Structures are given as C-alpha cells and as structure tokens.
C-alpha cells in the first residue's frame, strides 16, 4: 500500500494540488448544478407569473384554509411519528435478539421506499370500509364509517411512512453508545429512569431537531397520500393545490404563490433545525447486533419486557398487514398478467429511468459530502454547511415546482417522448438526493483522523486514496443509497403524472390507470410486481456489494 501510494505521489506540485482539491471542485460543481437548476426553475415560474401577491394567501378564504390544513396535518403527523418512534427505538435497542428482529428491521427499511400507490393500496385493503380491520372497528365503535379518509387517514399513512424512518435513525443513535457506558450504568445500579436521563435522552435529543424537520417536510410536501385519502376540498394541502393549479387551471401565478409559501416555511424550519446540529445518517447493518457492543443491559428485565413487546407488536401491526394485503391481493390477479401487453414495457421503462435517477443522485451525493468534508477539515464550517444543506434543497422546493420550472426553462427546445422522461429522471434524481446523503454521510465523513493524516503524509490522493481508504467503507452504503434512490424513482407518481405519456406509462402510471378503470385484480397484480421489484432491488444490490472486491482497480 505504501509503495503504491508513494508511486502515486510523484506527480508535480501542481498536479498534487489539483488532486488534493478534487473533492472541493466536485462539490462546487454539484452545488452549482443544484442551486442553478433550483433557482432557475423557481425563477421561470415567477417570470411566467407577474403580479404575484403574498397578501392574497391570507385574504382568500380557500387559500388560507389550505395553508392552515397543510400546517396542521404536517405538525400532527410529525408529532405522532416521532412520539411513537422514540419508544419503538428504545425497545429495539433493549431487545437485541428476538424472533423476527431482522425481518422487522427489513420491513422498516422497505416501508421507507415502498411506492405511495402500493402503500395506499395496502392501507385501503386493511383499514378501508371493506378492509380487514373494518369488523373490529365496527365492533369497538358501533359505526360503519371508516377512519381512513380525511385527516385521520392522512396521519395514518404518514405515520406508516415516517415512523420506521424516525425509529431507524434513533435506533442507530442509541446503538452508537459504547458498551463501557452500559457497564458503568450497571455498576452504578441505574434504573430505567436513570438510564433514560443519563444515556438515552441525551443521545436522542440532539438528533430530534433535524429529524423533526425532515419528517415535517415530507408530510408537508406529501402529494399522493393527500390526493387519495384527503376526502375532499377541506383536506387539500399546498402540494395538491399546486398540482391542481398547474395541471387543471394552468394558473402559474397561483402555482408560484403556493410554491413560494411552501419554500419559505420549509426554509425557515430547516434553518432553525440546522442551527441545532445533530445530523442523522442511515448506517448499513444487518440488524443482528447493535453497534455499541454486546453488553447485557440490566434495564431489559422485568416490566420492560412487557412494554417493549407492546411497542414492537404495535410496529409490526402497523407495517406488515398492508404489505401482506398487497401480496395476497396480487397473487389472486397473477393469472391476468399474461394478457397485460403493456406491463413488461412499463417495467423496463421504470427500471431504466430508476437506474438513471439513482446514478445521478449517487454521484451528486458523493460530490457534495466530499466537498463538505474538505471544507470542514479546513475550518470553513459555514461553507461546509451550505454545501451539505444544498443536498436538502428538494425537501423545501416541491418536485412539482422543480419539474414545471425546468419544463418552462427548456420549453422552446423540449420535445415529447424521451426528452420528457429525461426531465422526470432529472427531477427524481434530485428527489432521492437527501436520502442518498443520509446513507453516505457516515461512510464518507467517518474516516478516522489517524488514517487521514497518514494518507496526507504519504501524499495519497486521487484514485489511490479512493481505492484504499474510501471504497472499503463506501461500497455497502453506496449500494444501499443506490437502492433507496432507485426505489424512490421507481415508485414516483407526482412528477410522472405531469410529464409522463399515458401511451407509454411507467409502472406507477399503469397502476393508476388500472385503478381508475376499476380493474382491481389486474391492479393488484401490477402492485405486487412493483413491490417485488422494489424488494428485489434491495436484495440484488446487497448481494452485489458482497461480491464486489474490497480493493478494486487491481
């Protein structure tokens, strides 16, 4: 290793300087692309929408109601998701080994990226008026009116998506505590309340501001869930109103107003959250043992067994029945697949677009985090924070606004067909970027300082540095990040609904068409194929990383 490093370090001082600054230039390029496209798309809307007035948002009763409901449902969804995620994460941290732990963690990971139409299909099958839970609801309340539509249904769907995400991140933070801390707690005889006050809560509270901002933003910009379960105009959010303004009313002024309002609220929230520190990151593991060691916790005995079982059983009942319902309904419609001539082209089209969006998100994520690390190592924390924060731009800039603005920018030269789908790939890559950065952050920024100093002393730069230092740490997180990006793109419906072609649909659009024409059995089979594709991507990419050489480019 040292001989190769020294051989690689014989370049001129000019060349070594360029290699050393490569992460910075890569990050600056990605930053310029993100900010340029984001501001360009927003500016295109503003140019096309003269005479915009923020006062109309409060003066118009309908718009004021949309804003109030958007804030209320997002706040309530965030409160419920985080409020339940904390005891679930504590229970999982205490229960290191039980039957089905790994399966439950895998279901949590899958629920993060399951396409919204599939999740809605499963939630309706379980919680709808004719669903599996309908008899129990009628027996408890004496009413046949369901709870799936309106505010309660929106919150339920948001909790289905965001509780696993929050619990997974909180669990990883708890598992980072060294085993020595637990040995000391046992020696001091700390009870459950003492352990919570001295070990668990300090680890969780520094993560909560950014985690709350993330969950709130995801709920605030939710589209398909509110569109399906809203139940009427009284449950319209800014995102749905924005879609209606663009798709049906062609009212660019109103769309720009709604976009600016959403952008202002999300930017203010993220600015507050970023000032509190505690960036979450999704680590890669098999869920078999925590990161902090195998020390037996004393507070895992007694009444804790009962309370932990309650929370873990509740999590399983939230996640598993909708996924099982999709599988059961889909198996009944598999016989109709032979007559679906459009299914396999739609699947191939979706996979190609997902691969493009995943590659784009992975490239941008690595560039931004590498640039952030380069700046942070030299004490330029403000610039480093701005570079890392640019990767969260899509969380505050709606995908519909980004796609529409880019369409307006490119409209004189943008044609139909593959060019429209190329725009969808670009937007989907940006949409997946925040999740990709969450996964990659720990691997790229967690390199021990001793290894960095040794690499700098040996002048290990460029490909050699990537091969020996970064790739062994990056290959598994990169596969997980690629899986997240591809599955998020694979299940996208909001952007493809604007720019897709009904005659050449993706799988989500085909599923929507089948549901709209009341072909329930066929739609169930399509949903099963989409769910199986999502699961297969995770399995395939995980297997591939185990097969890849630890040190490539031999």
């Amino acid at each position: 290793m040292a001989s190769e490093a020294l051989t690689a370090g014989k370049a001129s001082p000019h060349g070594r300087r360029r290699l050393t600054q490569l992460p910075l230039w890569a990050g600056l390029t990605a930053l310029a692309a993100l900010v340029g496209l984001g501001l360009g798309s927003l500016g295109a809307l503003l140019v096309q929408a003269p005479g915009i007035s923020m006062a109309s948002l409060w003066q118009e009763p309908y718009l004021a109601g949309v804003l109030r409901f958007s804030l209320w449902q997002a706040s309530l969804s965030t409160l419920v998701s985080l409020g339940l995620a904390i005891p679930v994460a504590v229970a999982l941290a205490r229960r290191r080994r039980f039957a089905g732990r790994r399966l439950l963690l895998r279901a949590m990971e899958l629920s993060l990226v399951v396409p919204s139409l599939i999740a809605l299909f499963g939630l309706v099958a379980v919680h709808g008026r004719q669903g599996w839970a309908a008899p129990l609801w009628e027996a408890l309340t004496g009413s046949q009116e369901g709870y799936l539509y309106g505010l309660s249904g929106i919150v339920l769907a948001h909790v289905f998506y965001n509780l696993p995400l929050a619990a997974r991140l909180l669990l990883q933070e708890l598992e980072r505590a060294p085993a020595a801390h637990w040995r000391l707690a046992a020696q001091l005889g700390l009870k459950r309340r003492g352990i919570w006050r001295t070990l668990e809560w300090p680890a969780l509270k520094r993560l909560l501001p950014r985690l709350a901002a993330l969950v709130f933003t995801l709920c605030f910009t939710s589209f398909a869930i509110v569109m399906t379960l809203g139940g009427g105009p009284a449950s319209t959010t800014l995102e749905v109103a924005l879609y209606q303004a663009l798709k049906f009313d062609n009212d660019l002024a109103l769309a720009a107003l709604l976009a600016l309002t959403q952008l202002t609220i999300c930017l203010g929230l993220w600015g507050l959250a970023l000032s509190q520190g505690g960036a979450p990151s999704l680590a890669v593991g098999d869920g078999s043992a925590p990161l902090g060691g195998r020390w037996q916790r004393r507070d895992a005995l007694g009444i804790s067994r009962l309370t932990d079982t309650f929370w873990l059983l509740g999590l399983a009942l939230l996640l598993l029945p909708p996924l099982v319902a999709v599988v059961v309904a889909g198996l009944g419609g598999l016989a109709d697949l032979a007559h679906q001539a459009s299914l396999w082209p739609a699947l191939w089209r979706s996979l190609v677009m997902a691969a493009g969006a995943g590659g784009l998100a992975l490239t941008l994520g690595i560039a931004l985090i590498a640039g952030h690390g380069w700046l942070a190592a030299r004490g330029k924390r403000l610039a480093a924070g701005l570079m890392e924060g640019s990767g969260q731009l899509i969380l505050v800039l709606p995908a519909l606004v980004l796609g529409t603005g880019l369409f307006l920018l490119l409209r004189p030269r943008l044609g139909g067909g593959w060019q429209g789908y190329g725009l969808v790939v670009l937007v989907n890559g940006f949409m997946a970027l925040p999740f990709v950065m969450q996964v990659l952050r720990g691997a790229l920024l967690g390199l021990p300082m001793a290894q960095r100093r040794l690499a700098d002393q040996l002048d290990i730069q460029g490909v050699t540095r990537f091969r020996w230092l970064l790739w062994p740490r990056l290959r598994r997180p990169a596969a997980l990040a690629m899986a997240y990006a591809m599955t998020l793109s694979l299940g996208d419906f909001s952007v493809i609904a604007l720019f897709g072609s009904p005659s050449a649909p993706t799988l989500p659009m085909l599923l929507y068409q089948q549901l709209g024409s009341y072909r329930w059995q066929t739609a169930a089979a399509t949903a099963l194929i989409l769910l199986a594709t999502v699961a297969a991507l995770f399995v395939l990419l995980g297997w591939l990383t185990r097969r890849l050489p630890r040190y490539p480019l031999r």
Side-chain angles (χ1 to χ4, degrees), residues 198-478:
T198 59
L199 292 177
E200 292 176 335
W201 176 242
L204 297 179
K205 70 176 182 179
R206 72 183 190 90
L207 195 65
L208 285 178
R210 288 198 186 188
L211 188 55
L214 175 63
V215 174
F216 180 91
T217 306
L218 293 174
C219 298
F220 192 64
T221 58
S222 177
F223 173 73
I225 289 174
V226 180
M227 191 84 167
T228 305
L229 302 180
S235 299
T236 300
T237 61
L238 289 175
E239 189 86 354
V240 174
L242 176 61
Y243 171 79
Q244 293 170 346
L246 291 173
K247 184 73 172 179
F248 301 109
D249 302 332
N250 196 27
D251 191 344
L252 294 179
L254 178 59
L257 171 64
L258 297 174
L260 281 176
T261 303
Q262 188 164 313
L263 182 64
T264 302
I265 293 173
C266 293
L267 277 178
L269 180 64
W270 272 101
L272 180 62
L274 290 174
S275 66
Q276 304 300 315
S281 61
L282 280 168
V284 183
D286 61 2
S288 59
L291 303 177
R294 300 177 180 274
W295 181 258
Q296 177 63 41
R297 291 178 50 167
R298 300 296 179 88
D299 63 327
L301 306 176
I303 191 64
S304 295
R305 291 183 178 273
L306 181 61
T307 58
D308 292 346
T309 301
F310 171 80
W311 290 114
L312 296 178
L313 182 61
L315 177 65
L317 290 176
L318 173 69
L319 297 182
L320 298 181
L323 299 178
V324 172
V326 173
V327 175
V328 171
L331 290 175
L334 286 179
D336 296 336
L337 289 180
H339 307 291
Q340 290 193 60
S342 59
L343 174 65
W344 306 116
L347 175 60
W348 173 249
R349 193 175 297 113
S350 297
L351 286 173
V352 171
M353 295 173 62
L360 175 62
L362 191 63
T363 302
L364 291 174
I366 292 176
L368 288 173
I369 297 177
H372 164 83
W374 192 95
L375 291 169
R378 287 153 180 81
K380 302 177 181 179
R381 300 193 177 276
L382 179 59
L386 290 175
M387 183 167 290
E388 184 184 13
S390 67
Q392 318 296 327
L393 182 64
I394 194 62
L395 293 176
V396 298
L397 183 64
L400 293 177
V401 175
L402 181 62
T404 304
L406 292 177
F407 175 78
L408 292 175
L409 283 174
L410 304 174
R411 182 169 52 179
R413 300 180 181 178
L414 186 66
W418 67 270
Q419 292 180 336
Y421 283 116
L423 182 61
V424 174
V425 169
L426 180 63
V427 176
N428 283 342
F430 285 178
M431 289 172 59
L433 183 57
F435 298 93
V436 168
M437 292 183 67
Q438 298 294 339
V439 177
L440 297 177
R441 189 178 189 278
L444 283 175
L445 300 182
L447 189 66
M449 185 58 66
Q451 294 185 19
R452 293 186 185 181
R453 290 173 179 169
L454 179 60
D456 291 338
Q457 291 171 1
L458 295 175
D459 199 17
I460 301 177
Q461 304 296 338
V463 174
T464 306
R465 190 182 187 103
F466 177 82
R467 173 186 176 185
W468 290 103
L469 295 183
L470 294 180
W471 175 248
R473 300 175 56 87
L474 189 61
R475 57 177 187 155
R476 293 195 67 193

Side-chain angles (χ1 to χ4, degrees), residues 163 167 231 271 498 534:
L163 189 152
L498 274 179
V534 169

